[in-house]
Amino acid sequence: MNHSKLDLSVQNILRHVAKEVVLPHYQNLQASDIQEKSPGDLVTVADKLSEEMLSEKLGALTPGAAIVGEEASAADPSVMDHLADDQTWIIDPIDGTGNFAAAKPPFGMIVALSEANETIAGWLYDPLADRICYAAKGQGAFLNGEKLSVPVNPKSKPVAAMATGFMTSEQREQLLRAAEEHYQIVDIPRCAAEQYPRLALGTNHISTFERSLPWDHAAGILFLNEAGGKAGRWNGDAYRPADRKTGLLGASSPKLWDEAAELLGAVFSD
């Protein structure tokens, strides 16, 4: 596969869909344009339209590839059975929908391409900044076309942004208690398309996630790992899009990952 050609094609698709669908709806939604899929989990008319257009255009790039979108999977969970197909596009049409619906950043668009349950390419696009993070397996990570490597380990207390929304109150308290002595704890952006670049750029150094749905994480994990950071399951296993597991740890270096796994991993162990 010609990754550079594919990268350019996907970037063009993301920018087109952002221009035609996502940005025109930003700060322009009516109450009737926003629905609740489950308590606290929103979907907007822009999510649905964006996914339809992305699915059509990405599908045309690679005829025969399966397509697994967040909204299609919400409507029919059996769509997720295609995550381990020979080739699969994984789509989050608007990541950070809660922010988008509230007419505030950050939000983004995420696309990943997997083969036989392994992510081989990923894109995280911020339409407001026109920032594209791209990675291909074994090829490196790129920010707006420039190769990216994570910064050196921080000299001061590492910054941790931990997603606790899908944890039990007991897990949440245990995690924060274990983390507060070792990390400077900051708010999460509620947007994986923003969180993974923060780790790769060294703005944040540690992130934990309980829920690990593929449209949120497949592209970002590849991007962080290819930039020289580390993300994966708490036991060190690689992330596989089709695995119906929970619990993820991301860090801006393997050293910080190892430290966090030792300090915090007991909270997430089975």
Side-chain angles (χ1 to χ4, degrees):
M1 178 181 295
N2 186 328
H3 279 283
S4 60
K5 184 177 179 181
L6 182 70
D7 174 30
L8 183 58
S9 297
V10 175
Q11 287 198 32
N12 288 338
I13 289 170
L14 285 166
R15 287 191 168 101
H16 175 79
V17 176
K19 181 181 177 182
E20 295 297 318
V21 175
V22 178
L23 292 176
H25 283 92
Y26 180 53
Q27 298 181 332
N28 199 31
L29 292 169
Q30 307 301 312
S32 59
D33 294 331
I34 305 169
Q35 297 175 315
E36 201 172 42
K37 291 186 286 189
S38 60
D41 191 6
L42 302 180
V43 61
T44 73
V45 64
D47 291 80
K48 295 177 180 179
L49 291 171
S50 175
E51 183 166 305
E52 288 173 8
M53 191 176 289
L54 286 168
S55 298
E56 177 187 352
K57 292 184 175 296
L58 292 170
L61 278 183
T62 53
I67 295 177
V68 176
E70 178 180 5
E71 307 315 329
S73 299
D76 178 6
S78 71
V79 169
M80 294 183 70
D81 294 341
H82 293 287
L83 284 166
D85 282 10
D86 289 343
Q87 193 172 61
T88 306
W89 288 106
I90 305 168
I91 300 170
D92 191 339
I94 298 178
D95 180 60
T97 297
N99 298 334
F100 183 83
K104 64 181 184 182
F107 61 88
M109 303 162 69
I110 306 177
V111 168
L113 182 63
S114 68
E115 289 184 350
N117 201 21
E118 181 178 26
T119 311
I120 63 163
W123 296 260
L124 303 98
Y125 181 47
D126 178 345
L128 292 176
D130 192 30
R131 180 190 70 189
I132 287 197
C133 299
Y134 163 68
K137 185 169 179 58
Q139 308 278 326
F142 300 85
L143 177 64
N144 290 340
E146 297 292 326
K147 195 158 189 178
L148 180 68
S149 295
V150 294
V152 295
N153 289 316
K155 292 184 173 63
S156 55
K157 187 181 280 192
V159 176
M162 300 181 293
T164 61
F166 295 94
M167 301 175 70
T168 65
S169 57
E170 184 180 349
Q171 277 182 312
R172 188 178 302 116
E173 290 172 13
Q174 187 183 352
L175 177 64
L176 294 174
R177 191 165 57 245
E180 60 187 0
E181 180 182 347
H182 304 281
Y183 302 109
Q184 177 189 341
I185 299 173
V186 298
D187 289 340
I188 59 171
R190 301 184 182 278
C191 173
E194 173 63 22
Q195 187 60 64
Y196 282 104
R198 288 184 183 184
L199 290 169
L201 291 166
T203 308
N204 293 169
H205 304 103
I206 299 292
S207 284
T208 66
F209 306 92
E210 174 65 8
R211 193 170 74 163
S212 58
L213 295 166
W215 40 82
D216 289 325
H217 294 283
I221 287 172
L222 179 65
F223 177 72
L224 180 58
N225 285 335
E226 287 290 328
K230 183 175 178 179
R233 301 295 182 187
W234 284 91
N235 64 358
D237 285 353
Y239 179 84
R240 303 284 182 176
D243 293 349
R244 309 290 177 98
K245 298 179 180 179
T246 58
L248 274 176
L249 172 63
S252 57
S253 75
K255 176 178 181 289
L256 287 168
W257 194 98
D258 290 343
E259 291 172 357
E262 184 174 344
L263 290 167
L264 311 176
V267 181
F268 291 85
S269 60
D270 294 330

